[in-house]
């Protein structure tokens, strides 16, 4: 059985033609059982995910806007956000892989199973749904993790965007203040006072101030 499964999931051992004639004989419960085992092994190849451990890790993160008056705080915050985004992207990719694989297993096995049972259409469908029951619950759990990670990913991007806007605003104000300062210095240099002495009609001397 293991060799039969390996040739479908191992790139080096992949081979689909040797028992093609056997598969053409139709679907029975033994074939259905092998297919369930195959999809189970497909899922076990994926990176394990645990909602509680993931949420515990993320709850320890500091996803917030730092004090932008301190450049060191900004640099540290950016570094954290980059690391958080990378970590969440990896987890999100794994969660989607679990969701997609479980969903494909549900769809394929359900359709296949109806050919392995006898009875009415309703009986075949109910039996098929019962066969895929574990995959349905796994799909629900994977979707739950994926949805949670997607919200965290959006929060990280929002925080990074807001931080970027605040930095740009701070830089614009700094440039404006610098420009105003230079203009003020220029005006002051052009408005230096000129003093000279004049004699009035009574023969008294006065110091007169004239601005350029």
């Amino acid at each position: 059985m293991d060799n039969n499964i390996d040739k479908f999931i191992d790139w080096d051992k992949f081979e689909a033609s040797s028992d093609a004639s056997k598969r053409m004989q139709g679907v029975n419960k033994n074939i259905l059982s092998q297919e369930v085992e195959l999809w189970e092994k497909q899922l076990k190849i994926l990176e394990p995910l645990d909602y509680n451990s993931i949420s515990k890790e993320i709850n320890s993160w500091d996803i917030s806007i730092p004090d932008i008056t301190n450049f060191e705080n900004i640099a540290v915050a950016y570094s954290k956000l980059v690391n958080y985004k990378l970590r969440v992207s990896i987890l999100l990719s794994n969660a989607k892989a679990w969701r997609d694989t479980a969903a494909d297993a549900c769809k394929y096995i359900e359709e296949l199973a109806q050919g392995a049972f006898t009875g009415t259409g309703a009986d075949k469908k109910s039996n098929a749904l019962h066969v895929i029951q574990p995959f349905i619950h796994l799909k629900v759990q994977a979707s739950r993790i994926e949805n949670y990670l997607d919200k965290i990913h959006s929060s990280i991007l929002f925080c990074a965007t807001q931080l970027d806007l605040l930095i740009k605003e701070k830089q614009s104000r700094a440039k404006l203040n610098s420009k105003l300062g230079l203009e003020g210095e220029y005006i002051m240099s052009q408005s230096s006072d000129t003093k000279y002495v004049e004699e009035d009609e009574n023969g008294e001397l006065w110091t007169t101030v004239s601005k350029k």
Side-chain angles (χ1 to χ4, degrees):
M1 173 63 71
D2 288 340
N3 292 334
N4 185 48
I5 292 176
D6 287 342
K7 71 181 182 181
F8 291 120
I9 62 176
D10 190 318
W11 291 106
D12 296 327
K13 299 178 181 178
F14 181 80
E15 192 257 309
S17 60
S18 62
D19 59 349
S21 58
K22 182 179 179 181
R23 293 198 302 275
M24 293 177 187
Q25 295 176 7
V27 180
N28 54 47
K29 292 182 180 179
N30 183 52
I31 295 297
L32 179 61
S33 178
Q34 291 180 17
E35 196 63 36
V36 170
E37 187 176 348
L38 174 60
W39 281 98
E40 179 185 33
K41 196 164 185 178
Q42 286 274 21
L43 287 161
K44 287 182 178 180
I45 296 174
L46 302 177
E47 186 73 21
L49 293 177
D50 179 70
Y51 179 84
N52 292 329
S53 62
I54 291 174
S55 59
K56 183 178 180 180
E57 176 186 351
I58 292 177
N59 287 337
S60 67
W61 295 353
D62 180 18
I63 306 176
S64 60
I65 303 294
D67 179 10
I68 63 171
T69 60
N70 189 319
F71 180 78
E72 184 176 350
N73 289 344
I74 296 175
V76 171
Y78 254 122
S79 178
K80 286 183 177 179
L81 290 174
V82 170
N83 291 332
Y84 295 159
K85 185 180 183 302
L86 177 60
R87 175 61 174 156
V88 169
S89 295
I90 293 173
L91 292 172
L92 192 56
S93 177
N94 292 338
K96 288 182 177 179
W98 276 94
R99 191 274 316 272
D100 290 345
T101 305
D104 289 342
C106 288
K107 181 179 179 181
Y108 182 81
I109 296 174
E110 180 182 359
E111 293 179 357
L112 188 70
Q114 295 190 50
F117 294 100
T118 58
T120 64
D123 291 337
K124 290 181 178 181
K125 185 168 183 62
S126 63
N127 286 328
L129 289 174
H130 187 63
V131 172
I132 65 172
Q133 180 190 45
F135 298 99
I136 291 177
H137 292 294
L138 187 61
K139 177 186 173 184
V140 170
Q141 178 67 2
S143 297
R144 177 191 178 200
I145 297 175
E146 181 185 0
N147 182 64
Y148 171 70
L149 291 171
D150 186 61
K151 295 297 188 295
I152 296 297
H153 188 261
S154 298
S155 297
I156 292 173
L157 292 180
F158 176 79
C159 184
T161 301
Q162 294 303 307
L163 183 58
D164 185 58
L165 291 174
L166 289 173
I167 292 173
K168 288 180 178 179
E169 181 182 357
K170 183 176 176 62
Q171 290 174 337
S172 297
R173 288 181 179 180
K175 289 180 180 179
L176 178 60
N177 291 337
S178 177
K179 181 180 179 181
L180 292 175
L182 291 174
E183 290 178 350
E185 291 178 3
Y186 176 76
I187 293 173
M188 291 296 292
S189 67
Q190 295 298 308
S191 63
S192 54
D193 298 333
T194 300
K195 299 181 180 180
Y196 57 93
V197 177
E198 289 183 338
E199 183 178 351
D200 63 8
E201 59 184 8
N202 297 320
E204 295 181 354
L205 300 177
W206 297 85
T207 299
T208 304
V209 178
S210 175
K211 295 185 177 180
K212 293 181 180 180

